[in-house]
Amino acid sequence: MQLPAEAVAATVLIEVVRISALPAKRGVAYPGRVVAHWAGSEAADALTLIERLPGSEQHRCGFSPGWSIRAYEDSLDLALFEAAFCFRCHEVRMHGTAVPPVLATQFFDADTPPAQALLALFREAAP
């Protein structure tokens, strides 16, 4: 999976969000409870894991994401990007000032070890 490289390099903090609903419109934050903050090597490791997600074809489920991450730089003002993950349809939707349109919608193989490891990290964040 491709993440916006400059944003990844600038990321110092990741919020992990347990999504409770879809946003009212595209491009706004996914509603839900922030269940964890990852910084330093924890954030870097998570981003590396996400970048290792192998591509996949789209599966139909209607996009019902359960988790998202929001990446922040030093200022912690606005998120550089948010990526919402649906492990049913294998889709990731990203938005934010650092996300070019070509990266906004991607598909990953949710049954692979990297995807299962990411899902385990999410679940550990919100037992």
Side-chain angles (χ1 to χ4, degrees):
M1 185 180 145
Q2 275 190 285
L3 294 174
E6 289 181 18
V8 168
T11 297
V12 298
L13 178 78
I14 292 176
E15 282 183 335
V16 179
V17 178
R18 183 65 169 127
I19 296 173
S20 59
L22 291 176
K25 62 181 183 174
R26 250 190 159 170
V28 298
Y30 283 81
R33 182 171 55 99
V34 174
V35 296
H37 290 95
W38 296 335
S41 63
E42 204 172 28
D45 291 348
L47 291 170
T48 298
L49 184 60
I50 291 167
E51 288 178 319
R52 289 187 180 150
L53 293 175
S56 177
E57 294 182 13
Q58 182 177 15
H59 294 76
R60 301 271 181 212
C61 89
F63 191 67
S64 181
W67 303 95
S68 78
I69 61 163
R70 296 181 189 138
Y72 293 89
E73 64 183 343
D74 283 333
S75 68
L76 302 177
D77 288 336
L78 295 173
L80 294 167
F81 67 91
E82 180 174 21
F85 297 83
C86 180
F87 284 83
R88 289 187 196 146
C89 67
H90 302 200
E91 186 173 341
V92 177
R93 291 186 185 170
M94 280 194 290
H95 63 89
T97 57
V99 180
V102 70
L103 299 182
T105 301
Q106 299 180 54
F107 301 95
F108 68 101
D109 188 338
D111 298 320
T112 62
Q116 290 301 302
L118 180 62
L119 183 57
L121 285 177
F122 287 154
R123 287 177 173 161
E124 287 173 19

